[in-house]
Amino acid sequence: MGKIFKQLARHWAACLAVVALLFVQAYCDLSLPDYTSKIVDTGIQQGGIESPLPETVRQSTLDALSLLMGEEDADALQNAYGYYLQDNGVLKLRSDLTDAERTALEEAVTTPDIVLYMAAAQNANAPAGDEAEAMTAAPTAEDLDAVCSQFAAMAQMPGFSREMIQQQLASAMEQVDETTLSSMASQATLLVSLEYEAQGVSHDVQMAYLFRVGGQMLALTLLMVVVAILVGLIASRVSASIGRELRRETFSSVIHFSNAEIENFSTASLITRTTNDITQIQMIVAMGLQMLIKAPIMAVWAVIKILGKSWTLSAVTAGFVVALVTLVLLIMSSCLPRFRRVQKKTDEINRVARENLTGINVVHAFNAEDYQNRKFDVPSRDMMNLQLKNQRLFALLQPMM
């Protein structure tokens, strides 16, 4: 292992490039589920609406929302749309709003969105004769227009007070528990959906969101493919270079061996060390640069991402990671002794094959083909049995991972 790391140190720039690319690949792998969730939750279920603050709004809806807000928040909401009047009479949200201003407006408009949507739903259910059917009636854009007209008429009534409405809303919200309040928060985006439906742009908004997020997801996928190709290319070049250096050093050492040293190792063993063993090292280096480095990056990064959402889920994930690592170590500890035996069997197969090829004329002369076949079959079957046991263990590992 020391010589392998010494060889890797010669290619430190390529190894650093592989690590950097694997971080990019891990980011892409862990981000794709988030984009899938966005497409399903926001793009399909919410009609592409991400915020309770509509990008475009009619003046009647804006006035109704303002009546349900405090004076300061209502002025901020009016100013957020006041300077971008479109040709069709629809106000557009200013593009120069800062993130802090946008967040403050979203928090301020959430409760008015909920109240206005509930009023539209009540208006949709009011004419129904059957109460059970009335509860299932969904509000439409016409219901929203009717409610906005009612709020506009209420604002013109003598004695109207914005403070009184705020007190009533605050009192009503205090009586609502946290679970109900969190479920009601989704109704804010439903109000925005009604507003877009009234403007006739709900389908365009949804498709624009799906195309945008789907395009980002496709770009991440293509980036992941490009990074995987680059990692494979760099890893293969590094492993091939290390294999070349090891073969050169091994051959340089072997040709300076004395006859006693060669007899000590045996010619078959030296051939195995120069060919098969170095090929195995080359494969380990290539797989290690692609998989062994990526696995801990993915595991740690996934736990960190989950930790920001739920510590319980993080604990479960960390437990599974520990169990998986333990399982891998147990299987590897069982396989490694068998792999050493495989290398010895490879030496024996090379020795028998070399003896057979060297003395092929004598074998033919004494009609000893059957004897040589049986002699070759013994180490060959032993290696087959060892490899079958190793492959069974790896086959057990794959579905568990």
Side-chain angles (χ1 to χ4, degrees), residues 311-382:
W311 70 269
T312 306
L313 189 58
S314 300
V316 174
T317 304
F320 276 111
V321 170
V322 172
L324 183 61
V325 171
T326 304
L327 179 65
V328 171
L329 291 177
L330 289 175
I331 292 178
M332 292 303 297
S333 63
S334 177
C335 287
L336 285 177
R338 290 194 180 96
F339 280 127
R340 295 190 183 98
R341 291 168 61 189
V342 166
Q343 294 303 103
K344 293 180 179 179
K345 291 298 177 182
T346 304
D347 291 347
E348 190 173 349
I349 289 175
N350 284 339
R351 179 181 59 79
V352 174
R354 185 170 178 272
E355 290 175 357
N356 192 16
L357 293 175
T358 303
I360 190 68
N361 293 329
V362 178
V363 171
H364 287 321
F366 288 91
N367 195 21
E369 288 87 350
D370 293 338
Y371 170 77
Q372 290 295 331
N373 287 336
R374 290 193 299 271
K375 185 178 179 181
F376 182 82
D377 191 57
V378 172
S380 180
R381 285 187 176 276
D382 290 342

Side-chain angles (χ1 to χ4, degrees), residues 11-24 227 230-231 234 289:
H11 306 275
W12 61 269
C15 293
L16 288 179
V18 167
V19 172
L21 289 172
L22 287 176
F23 270 102
V24 176
V227 169
L230 290 177
V231 169
I234 296 174
L289 290 175

Side-chain angles (χ1 to χ4, degrees), residues 324 327-328 330-331 335 388-401:
L324 183 61
L327 179 65
V328 171
L330 289 175
I331 292 178
C335 287
L388 283 175
K389 292 178 181 178
N390 290 334
Q391 294 304 319
R392 289 192 187 103
L393 284 175
F394 281 113
L396 178 65
L397 177 64
Q398 195 66 26
M400 291 183 178
M401 294 185 65

Side-chain angles (χ1 to χ4, degrees), residues 3-4 7 235-254 268-287 339 343 346-347 350:
K3 288 189 176 181
I4 295 178
Q7 293 289 339
S236 62
R237 291 182 65 88
V238 170
S239 62
S241 178
I242 290 175
R244 178 193 62 195
E245 296 297 327
L246 289 176
R247 287 190 184 92
R248 178 185 300 165
E249 293 177 5
T250 303
F251 183 77
S252 177
S253 298
V254 169
S269 179
L270 293 175
I271 294 174
T272 302
R273 300 295 175 269
T274 310
T275 55
N276 182 71
D277 288 3
I278 295 179
T279 301
Q280 296 292 331
I281 293 174
Q282 186 174 330
M283 291 177 60
I284 290 174
V285 171
M287 293 179 62
F339 280 127
Q343 294 303 103
T346 304
D347 291 347
N350 284 339

